[in-house]
């Protein structure tokens, strides 16, 4: 009978190592916590548009001249007279517009109240100037007539003769102004004559600010270059200011691209930790339930390395002040799902060289996302690659502890099992392979026909703010803006105004069902007539309120703008419309340049670049991953197996998207690169040792569950991405088993098996965990 001896106490060296490790862990967690507190999520417009495109720079230039994409405020009056004709409501509307204009980071506010107020002031000035000029002509001519000895009727006829030409030009203006009375906000006749036609409906030129006789639209344009944090603050201030205005209206609708991007940022900030916790719980459940080690208490050890790697990555982004885009929400479940695989393999005493080769291929697969033209996809790929490297680093640091629950080298490594394919008739095997290759090929053939969805509102589908945007479209008839800009030394010339008039006529004739004029040179200056002289243009524009003049002229008269509203429908249709507009623009006057500018233009321009990436990102990721594995393991066969697995799995996923009628998104376009990661990992491990099949199965289950955590997101873009990724993992696992089994059956045991056998031969025989 054996008796237990005295408990062995750790020596000074062992105790020092433990204290050093504990101190390192505490410091790392402290730095990670500090970095995590500084992580910023950026979902601004700039993260969704391609870089290096002239259209994006033109958009920035336009924003500098006229303000950025507006926050849209829709107000529906609830009183009998509505907002405009109620003597109490209209002054409050003007006051609200003034308060909004004074908010920080606001470039300009356009609204019907300010239009009325500025028009009243301008009309009073015009009437006073005309009256003063007429009085001056009358007094001067009367004095001249008297000096010539004219008296009575003769003098009056002389004066009338000199007033006739003046009255012919300006008398109509005074006649039109007299019936409406004094131009002021308290004069209902004046308000109605400016905003409404004879039937009491809003005039076409003001309908974008007054959609109905009782509703108003305010456009709050932020300053150019406002970052995401500033945009979120501005949206919140707009909400607070509107709520405090005291207007008698129905519940206001506050929408627009800035509101939508702010909602995405808030959702990402709120959902990232929630989805991360769901993913951690789901992966932990898989690791606990599936008996991949003998002792249950050791099964959660890989999760420690993953959590440390994920925290370290986020901390790094926070410490360097690099904001993370919408992909941060998907980053957590993906890294938790994939990152847990490598600690599992190390816990199964897989050779470090093999783990490093698989990790290198996976890292390059993630890194291929940095080829995307969209910034938020590039940041996503960088974060995933860093997350995997950090997790791998922690896995090697904790390697001894991770493998503490698994004893010995699996005995099956000494003699590779006979492949199941060797027991299947070759005809059946060939048929299975043929079906697999055929379906994958159909998926790759279907890839070009899959539509790419890059509209911000559809990518954010699921948020309440998207419903507000659709309501605004229904009320206003448009949801976005395109601007035809003309630039040169001086745009306020008769030739330019004639050109602008021809442009508007031509575009509305050809595309009146798609375009709606908002503020244009032609409409704002049509009071000058069809052929104004330079002197008349100078005199007429000086009478315009600067509030309206600055909406179409900027940079001291060197930039002119014609802004049209359009619906943000299918991006491909937008691109076709914008291409048609460009082709239909008449040649501008000498010395001037004209172009179409706006967010829809950027989206349309980026569509081609994003569409091309459906091929480049996935295929390049597969090639570099296969090369990395082949070089790392000095085996072209394993590298080819990785490529074959990735091609099969990606083809199946593409076919699934086609069959279920799913469009591609900027994230699902990246699924090829992410499939490459799992295909690389599963193939290398199954090629290394057949007894790692259970570890691969556990890894696939953990990754699938981690990805499915994304389906809990309220943002449709992320929820759909979770389903596609889960399908990708399942496809990768199935393809890896198929390819490795087929190669083992038809080409014999892989040399890696021999290496593993030789390595295990020097190990003493120990108790092992049985694997399927």
């Amino acid at each position: 009978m054996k008796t237990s001896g005295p408990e062995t106490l750790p020596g000074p060296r062992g105790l020092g190592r433990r204290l050093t490790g504990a101190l390192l862990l505490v410091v790392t967690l402290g730095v990670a916590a500090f970095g995590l507190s500084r992580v910023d999520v950026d979902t601004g417009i700039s993260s969704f548009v391609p870089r290096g495109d002239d259209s994006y720079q033109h958009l920035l230039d336009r924003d500098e001249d006229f303000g950025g994409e507006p926050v849209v405020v829709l107000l529906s009056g609830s009183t009998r007279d509505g907002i405009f004709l109620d003597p109490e409501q209209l002054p409050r509307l003007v006051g609200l517009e003034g308060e909004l204009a004074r908010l920080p980071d606001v470039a300009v506010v356009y609204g019907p109240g300010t239009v009325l107020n500025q028009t009243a002031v301008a009309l009073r000035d015009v009437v006073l100037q005309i009256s003063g000029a007429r009085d001056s002509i009358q007094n001067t001519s009367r004095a001249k007539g008297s000096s010539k000895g004219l008296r009575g009727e003769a003098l009056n006829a002389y004066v009338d003769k000199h007033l006739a030409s003046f009255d012919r030009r300006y008398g109509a203006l005074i006649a039109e102004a007299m019936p409406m009375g004094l131009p002021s906000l308290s004069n209902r006749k004046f308000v109605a004559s400016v905003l409404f036609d004879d039937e009491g409906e809003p005039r076409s030129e003001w309908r974008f600010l007054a959609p109905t006789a009782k509703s108003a639209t305010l456009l709050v344009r932020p300053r150019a270059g406002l970052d995401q944090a500033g945009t979120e603050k501005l949206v919140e201030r707009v909400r607070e200011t509107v709520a405090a205005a005291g207007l008698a209206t129905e519940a206001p609708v506050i929408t627009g691209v800035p509101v939508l991007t702010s909602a995405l940022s808030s959702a990402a900030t709120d959902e990232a930790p929630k989805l991360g916790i769901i993913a951690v719980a789901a992966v932990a459940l898989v690791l606990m339930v599936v008996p991949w080690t003998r002792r249950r208490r050791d099964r959660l050890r890989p999760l420690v390395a993953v959590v440390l790697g994920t925290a370290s990555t986020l901390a790094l982004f926070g410490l360097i002040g690099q904001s993370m885009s919408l992909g941060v929400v998907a980053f957590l479940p993906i890294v938790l799902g994939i990152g847990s695989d490598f600690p599992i393999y190390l816990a199964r005493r897989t050779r470090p060289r093999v783990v490093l080769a698989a990790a290198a291929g996976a890292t390059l697969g993630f890194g291929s996302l940095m080829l995307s033209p969209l910034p938020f996809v590039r940041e996503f790929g960088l974060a995933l690659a860093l997350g995997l490297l950090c997790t791998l680093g922690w896995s090697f640091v904790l390697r001894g502890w991770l493998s503490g629950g698994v004893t010995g080298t699996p005995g099956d490594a000494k003699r590779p099992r006979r492949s199941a394919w060797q027991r299947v008739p070759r005809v059946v095997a060939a048929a299975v392979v043929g079906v697999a290759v055929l379906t994958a090929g159909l998926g790759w053939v279907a890839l070009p026909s899959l539509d790419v969805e890059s509209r911000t509102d559809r990518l954010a589908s699921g948020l309440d703010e998207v419903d507000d945007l659709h309501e605004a479209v229904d009320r206003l008839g448009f949801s976005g803006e395109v601007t035809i800009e003309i630039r040169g030394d001086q745009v306020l010339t008769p030739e330019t105004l004639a050109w602008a008039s021809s442009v508007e006529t031509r575009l509305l004739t050809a595309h009146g069902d798609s375009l709606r004029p908002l503020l244009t040179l032609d409409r704002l200056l049509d009071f000058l007539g069809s052929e104004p002289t330079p002197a008349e243009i100078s005199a007429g524009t000086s009478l315009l309120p600067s509030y309206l003049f600055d909406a179409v002229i900027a940079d001291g008269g060197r930039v002119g703008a014609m802004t049209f509203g359009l619906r943000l429908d299918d991006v491909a249709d937008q691109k076709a419309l914008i291409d048609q507009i460009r082709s239909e623009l008449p040649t501008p006057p000498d010395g001037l340049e004209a172009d179409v500018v706006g967010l829809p233009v950027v989206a349309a321009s980026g569509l081609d670049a994003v569409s091309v990436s459906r091929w480049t990102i996935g295929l390049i990721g597969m090639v570099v991953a296969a090369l990395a594995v082949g070089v790392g393991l000095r085996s072209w066969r394993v590298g080819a197996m990785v490529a074959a697995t990735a091609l099969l799995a990606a083809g199946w996923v593409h076919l699934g998207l086609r069959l279920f009628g799913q469009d591609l998104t900027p994230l699902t376009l990246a699924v090829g690169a992410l499939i490459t990661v799992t295909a690389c990992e599963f193939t290398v491990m199954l090629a290394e040792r057949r007894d790692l099949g259970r570890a691969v199965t556990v890894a696939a289950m953990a990754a699938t569950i981690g990805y499915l955590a994304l389906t809990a997101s309220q943002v449709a873009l992320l929820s759909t991405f979770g389903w596609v990724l889960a399908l990708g993992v399942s496809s990768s696992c199935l393809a890896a088993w198929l390819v490795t089994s087929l190669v083992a059956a038809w080409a014999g045991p892989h040399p890696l098996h021999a290496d593993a056998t030789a390595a295990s031969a020097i190990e003493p025989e120990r108790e092992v965990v049985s694997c399927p």
Side-chain angles (χ1 to χ4, degrees):
M1 179 177 179
K2 294 183 180 180
T3 59
S4 59
E7 183 178 356
T8 303
L9 297 176
R13 179 175 298 179
L15 182 61
R17 289 178 178 175
R18 292 185 181 182
L19 289 176
T20 301
L23 180 62
L24 177 62
L25 182 61
V26 170
V27 171
T28 300
L29 290 177
V31 173
F34 174 73
L36 286 171
S37 67
R38 293 169 51 88
V39 171
D40 180 38
V41 179
D42 182 8
T43 59
I45 295 174
S46 60
S47 67
F48 290 94
V49 298
R51 290 290 188 268
D53 194 292
D54 291 341
S55 63
Y56 181 64
Q57 184 58 50
H58 293 164
L59 176 66
L60 296 180
D61 293 339
R62 187 209 66 176
D63 291 351
E64 191 69 38
D65 291 328
F66 302 104
E69 292 293 320
V71 177
V72 181
V73 181
L74 297 177
L75 302 170
S76 296
S78 58
T79 64
R80 186 189 67 177
D81 294 328
I83 299 177
F84 305 120
L85 301 181
D86 190 309
E88 293 183 359
Q89 296 302 305
L90 184 55
R92 291 180 181 178
L93 178 63
V94 176
L96 170 60
E97 294 175 23
E99 290 295 325
L100 292 173
R102 286 188 287 272
L103 290 178
D105 298 321
V106 170
V108 66
V109 174
Y110 293 112
T114 307
V115 167
L116 285 168
N117 193 39
Q118 293 280 331
T119 303
V121 173
L123 280 178
R124 287 198 297 268
D125 290 342
V126 169
V127 171
L128 288 174
Q129 289 182 39
I130 292 175
S131 298
R134 192 176 191 281
D135 289 342
S136 176
I137 292 174
Q138 185 178 34
N139 293 334
T140 301
S141 60
R142 186 172 294 278
K144 287 184 178 180
S146 298
S147 66
K148 294 180 179 181
L150 298 177
R151 299 290 184 272
E153 292 298 327
L155 179 59
N156 291 336
Y158 181 81
V159 172
D160 292 340
K161 179 182 177 181
H162 285 79
L163 287 174
S165 61
F166 183 87
D167 288 343
R168 280 196 301 270
R169 178 176 290 274
Y170 298 107
L173 293 176
I174 298 177
E176 291 176 3
M178 293 304 293
M180 73 177 67
L182 182 66
S184 69
L185 298 182
S186 60
N187 183 346
R188 291 165 58 101
K189 287 186 177 181
F190 164 74
V191 172
S193 66
V194 173
L195 291 181
F196 306 138
D197 58 23
D198 294 338
E199 297 179 356
E201 294 298 322
R203 295 182 183 274
S204 59
E205 61 265 31
W206 300 122
R207 196 163 292 163
F208 74 102
L209 295 180
T212 68
K214 290 188 175 183
S215 63
T217 305
L218 311 183
L219 304 179
V220 184
R221 294 192 180 277
R223 66 171 176 81
L226 186 61
D227 60 17
Q228 184 59 35
T231 299
E232 292 180 28
K233 290 180 181 178
L234 175 60
V235 171
E236 185 59 32
R237 286 169 179 153
V238 169
R239 293 186 189 277
E240 294 173 352
T241 304
V242 172
L247 284 165
T249 64
E250 299 174 2
V253 175
I254 301 176
T255 184
V257 173
V259 177
L260 203 57
T261 58
S262 296
L264 273 174
S265 179
S266 298
T269 302
D270 294 340
E271 287 191 347
K274 295 177 185 177
L275 296 181
I277 291 172
I278 293 175
V280 169
V283 172
L285 181 63
V286 171
L287 296 179
M288 284 295 293
V289 171
V290 180
W292 65 279
T293 65
R294 186 175 56 182
R295 294 187 299 187
R296 186 180 295 272
R297 68 174 183 270
D298 297 321
R299 294 178 185 172
L300 292 181
R301 292 187 178 187
L303 203 58
V304 175
V306 182
V307 171
L308 288 173
T310 304
S312 300
T313 305
L314 293 176
L316 179 61
F317 273 83
L319 290 173
I320 65 177
Q322 173 65 48
S323 62
M324 299 191 72
S325 60
L326 184 63
V328 68
V329 186
F331 162 78
L332 293 173
I334 290 176
V335 171
L336 288 167
I338 292 294
S340 61
D341 300 353
F342 294 97
I344 291 174
Y345 301 140
L346 287 174
R348 297 293 302 163
R349 296 184 182 274
T350 306
R351 291 181 299 153
R353 173 185 164 192
V354 175
V355 173
L356 287 173
T363 301
L364 291 174
F366 281 144
S368 66
L369 294 179
M370 296 178 67
L371 298 174
S372 171
L374 300 183
F376 92 94
V377 177
R378 291 204 300 270
E379 293 171 5
F380 180 46
L382 175 62
L384 290 175
L386 289 176
L388 183 58
L389 290 176
C390 289
T391 300
L392 185 67
W394 278 108
S395 300
F396 273 98
V397 170
L398 302 174
R399 180 184 173 194
W401 178 71
L402 288 172
S403 60
V406 181
T407 57
T409 301
D412 283 351
K414 296 180 180 180
R415 186 178 62 256
R417 291 183 174 184
R418 188 185 180 196
S419 171
W421 283 95
Q422 295 174 326
R423 299 189 295 272
V424 175
R426 284 186 175 268
V427 174
V428 175
V432 172
V433 172
V435 171
V437 173
L438 177 62
T439 52
L442 290 175
W444 281 103
V445 171
L447 179 58
S449 64
L450 293 175
D451 293 331
V452 180
E453 181 55 73
S454 59
R455 278 178 47 188
T456 306
D457 61 324
R458 290 188 180 175
L459 297 181
S461 178
L463 299 177
D464 293 339
E465 286 77 5
V466 176
D467 296 333
D468 293 339
L469 183 64
H470 292 162
E471 182 176 350
V473 174
D474 292 338
R475 291 194 193 181
L476 300 176
F478 65 93
S479 55
E481 299 176 348
V482 291
T483 301
I484 298 177
E485 278 194 345
I486 184 164
R487 294 175 175 269
D489 292 336
Q490 182 53 252
V491 299
L492 283 174
T493 64
E495 294 78 13
T496 303
L497 296 186
W499 177 87
S501 178
S502 66
V503 167
E504 184 165 341
T505 300
R506 182 177 298 188
L507 293 183
L508 294 183
T509 300
H511 311 288
D513 56 338
S514 303
L515 295 177
R516 180 172 181 177
L518 303 182
L519 285 170
T520 67
L521 279 169
D522 183 52
R523 291 184 172 236
L524 194 60
L525 301 176
D526 64 349
F527 68 92
L528 295 175
S530 59
E531 296 180 357
T533 65
E536 290 173 338
I537 293 174
S538 178
T541 54
S542 67
L543 299 177
L544 281 175
S546 59
Y547 172 77
L548 295 176
F549 181 77
D550 292 341
V552 297
I553 299 295
D555 195 19
R558 287 182 286 272
V559 180
M562 305 174 64
T563 303
F564 296 83
L566 81 166
R567 288 178 178 268
L568 293 178
D569 290 326
D570 182 75
V571 178
D573 291 341
Q574 284 182 26
K575 183 178 184 302
L577 174 61
I578 291 167
D579 289 341
Q580 290 176 8
I581 292 174
R582 282 200 171 111
S583 66
E584 294 167 359
L585 285 180
T587 303
D590 292 341
L592 300 179
E593 295 180 353
D595 199 4
V596 185
V597 183
L599 186 59
V601 180
V602 175
S605 178
L607 178 63
D608 288 337
V610 173
S611 297
V612 170
S613 68
R614 76 177 72 193
W615 294 100
T616 55
I617 292 178
L619 292 177
I620 290 177
M622 293 174 191
V623 170
V624 296
L627 289 175
V629 169
V631 173
L633 296 178
R634 302 190 187 95
S635 170
W636 65 266
R637 183 193 295 185
V638 179
M641 290 162 65
V642 167
T645 300
L647 286 171
L648 284 175
W652 293 341
V653 171
H654 297 152
L655 182 61
L657 291 174
R658 182 63 176 174
L659 293 177
F660 286 100
Q662 289 290 325
D663 293 337
L664 292 171
T665 70
L667 282 181
T668 54
L669 272 171
V671 74
L674 301 180
I675 287 174
T676 297
V677 172
T678 50
C680 175
E681 167 198 332
F682 297 157
T683 304
V684 169
M685 294 306 154
L686 291 175
E688 160 72 353
R689 292 202 318 258
R690 301 299 297 179
D691 68 283
L692 284 175
R694 176 171 296 184
V696 168
T697 302
V698 172
M701 293 176 63
T704 301
I705 294 296
Y707 290 166
L708 287 177
L710 286 171
T711 61
S713 172
Q714 63 176 322
V715 181
L717 169 68
L718 297 173
S719 179
T720 303
F721 190 42
W723 287 111
V724 174
L725 287 177
L727 176 62
V729 173
S730 302
S731 300
S732 296
C733 189
L734 178 60
W737 277 104
L738 178 65
V739 170
T740 55
S741 299
L742 185 65
V743 171
W746 291 356
H750 193 272
L752 291 180
H753 293 157
D755 294 342
T757 302
S760 63
I762 64 174
E763 296 285 341
E765 189 70 25
R766 296 173 182 155
E767 183 181 6
V768 299
V769 178
S770 62
C771 295

